[in-house]
Amino acid sequence: MVNLLGPADRFLRTIEKQYPSVSVHVRGNEITLTGKTVERDAVHRLIEELQHTVSEGHTLDEEVITTSARMLHADSSVSPSDLLGPAILTTRGKSIRPKTLGQKQYSDAIDANTVVFGIGPAGTGKTYIAMAKAVRALQSKEVDRIILTRPAVEAGERLGFLPGSLTDKIDPYLRPLYDALGEMLEPELLPKLLAAGTIEVAPLAYMRGRTLNSSFVVLDEAQNTTPEQMKMFLTRLGFGSKMVVTGDITQIDLPVGTSGLKLVGRVLDSVGDIHFSHLTSDDVVRHSLVGRIVDAYTEYDAKKQALHQEGLEAREFANRAAQRAPSSRVRLPKRSSS
C-alpha cells in the first residue's frame, strides 16, 4: 500500500487530481471510492493497473500515474501495466521503457522492421527510445557499432563562423545526441567507445559514399533533410544493419525546398520491411504543458491551412467568373479602303 500511494499519500493526490469528481478514502489496506459510476469505475481500473505495476516490481511516480490515466481514458481496453514490462535498457540504476501506447508500438516496430520512421512532436521520446534500442543492440552483440547522425541545420538563428576545428564547429549540432548517450552509458565507458569508433556521432554529410554494415543507425531531426539527402542516407544501409529515422514535420528549419521526411512517406509507403510510426501529443512524456502546446499549434496550423485553401478557392472562382463574363469592349465597324 505504501508503494501504491507513495510517501505521505503523494500518489493518492495525483490520482484524485486526474479524477476530481471521485473521492478516494484509504483505511488500512482498503480503498473506498465515492462518485459517479463512470468516473468511479475509471479510478477503480486505474488503481488495479497501478497495483499490478507495483506487484511486478516497478516503481511508481507521478508521471506513470498520469500517463496510465490518460491511456485508459483514450482506450479502456489497453493495459498500461503491460507497457511497463521488460525495460528496453537498464543502466545506471535507471530503466528505459515505453510510457505510452504509441511509444510501445514504436518500440515494437523497431524490433520487427529493418527501417523505421518515428514521426511526431517534441517530447514523444522518438530519439531517446531509438538510442536505447541501439545501445541494447550493441550490448547484446546484435550489431558491431552505433552510428548517430543529424543534419547540421541552424534552427532559425544565424550562428556565423564558429571558432575551432571542424569537430568544434559541428559539435553544437550533435550535442543532444551526446547528452542522451551520457544518460545511457557509464561515464568512463562512453569516451572509450567513441575513441574506438564503436559509437560514432557525425553530421549527415559524413554518410555520403559509405556502406554501413552491422550497424544500428539513427538519423535525428530528419525533417531538416532534403529529399536528396534522405535518399542518400537510406541507401547507405548495409547487411545486418537497422535504421531508425526520427523527426517532427511541424518544425522544419530548411531555408527553402521540400523536407525529405515529408516526401519519403509517399515514396516508400508500400515498401516492405519499412514502418512509419506516427506519435501524437498523447505520447508526450515531458511536462504536461508540452502536450497542450503541441495541440494548440496543431489547431493553429489547421486553421491557417483552411484559410489558405479558402483563399485559393475564392481566387479560382473569381477567375472562372471573369472568363465566363461577356466582353465589355465595343467593336467599331471596319473603315472602307476607298
Side-chain angles (χ1 to χ4, degrees):
M1 185 63 75
V2 173
N3 292 333
L4 178 64
L5 301 181
D9 291 346
R10 188 169 75 240
F11 299 160
L12 178 61
R13 304 283 85 80
T14 303
I15 295 173
E16 290 179 328
K17 186 177 180 180
Q18 297 300 313
Y19 300 93
S21 62
V22 178
S23 298
V24 184
H25 303 281
V26 178
R27 176 171 293 181
N29 285 332
E30 293 185 356
I31 299 176
T32 303
L33 307 177
T34 305
K36 294 182 179 180
T37 303
V38 176
E39 288 82 358
R40 189 177 67 237
D41 291 346
V43 177
H44 186 196
R45 175 73 195 284
L46 174 61
I47 292 177
E48 285 182 335
E49 287 292 329
L50 297 178
Q51 280 183 301
H52 184 65
T53 300
V54 171
S55 67
E56 292 292 320
H58 303 306
T59 302
L60 291 185
D61 55 29
E62 287 88 345
E63 183 181 333
V64 170
I65 296 171
T66 302
T67 301
S68 298
R70 187 170 56 193
M71 289 176 57
L72 289 171
H73 178 72
D75 185 355
S76 59
S77 64
V78 303
S79 177
S81 58
D82 290 344
L83 297 183
L84 297 175
I88 298 173
L89 183 69
T90 301
T91 179
R92 304 176 66 179
K94 179 181 179 181
S95 295
I96 301 173
R97 52 169 53 88
K99 295 183 178 180
T100 70
L101 182 59
Q103 288 187 355
K104 180 67 165 63
Q105 294 169 343
Y106 173 49
S107 175
D108 292 343
I110 294 175
D111 292 333
N113 297 274
T114 300
V115 178
V116 174
F117 290 82
I119 302 171
T124 51
K126 307 179 297 295
T127 305
Y128 203 72
I129 289 176
M131 292 181 65
K133 288 283 188 181
V135 172
R136 190 193 69 175
L138 181 66
Q139 292 177 343
S140 60
K141 300 188 184 304
E142 297 173 27
V143 297
D144 295 332
R145 56 180 174 168
I146 296 172
I147 299 176
L148 309 175
T149 183
R150 53 162 38 185
V153 176
E154 298 168 337
E157 302 96 336
R158 290 293 178 265
L159 302 181
F161 293 97
L162 296 172
S165 64
L166 179 60
T167 301
D168 295 330
K169 295 176 189 296
I170 62 177
D171 267 1
Y173 297 102
L174 305 174
R175 178 49 52 189
L177 302 179
Y178 285 112
D179 291 343
L181 281 174
E183 295 182 24
M184 299 178 187
L185 294 169
E186 298 296 332
E188 65 277 5
L189 180 60
L190 179 56
K192 296 178 181 178
L193 294 175
L194 289 169
T198 305
I199 295 180
E200 179 182 349
V201 183
L204 181 58
Y206 283 26
M207 299 298 109
R208 187 173 296 279
R210 302 174 63 182
T211 300
L212 307 176
N213 293 316
S214 190
S215 303
F216 198 115
V217 192
V218 179
L219 169 59
D220 189 31
E221 298 290 339
Q223 75 275 6
N224 289 330
T225 62
T226 65
E228 294 77 16
Q229 286 176 320
M230 179 64 74
K231 178 183 176 182
M232 178 275 292
F233 171 77
L234 293 174
T235 53
R236 302 307 96 200
L237 180 67
F239 294 107
S241 292
K242 189 181 288 285
M243 282 184 168
V244 181
V245 180
T246 68
D248 177 5
I249 57 176
T250 68
Q251 296 194 44
I252 298 173
D253 301 312
L254 290 173
V256 292
T258 304
S259 167
L261 185 61
K262 294 182 70 174
L263 178 65
V264 74
R266 299 194 296 270
V267 176
L268 302 180
D269 185 52
S270 60
V271 179
D273 207 19
I274 295 178
H275 180 84
F276 289 84
S277 290
H278 293 274
L279 303 170
T280 68
S281 59
D282 290 335
D283 300 304
V284 171
V285 292
R286 291 180 184 171
H287 194 287
S288 59
L289 187 58
V290 174
R292 298 200 293 274
I293 291 172
V294 170
D295 285 337
Y297 271 97
T298 301
E299 182 180 354
Y300 170 80
D301 290 338
K303 290 180 179 178
K304 184 178 178 181
Q305 182 64 29
L307 290 173
H308 177 68
Q309 186 64 31
E310 287 180 7
L312 291 177
E313 292 175 356
R315 285 194 293 272
E316 184 179 354
F317 179 79
N319 290 335
R320 288 201 301 266
Q323 291 172 1
R324 289 195 299 266
S327 176
S328 59
R329 291 178 297 177
V330 177
R331 294 186 178 180
L332 298 175
K334 292 183 179 180
R335 182 178 297 179
S336 63
S337 58
S338 56

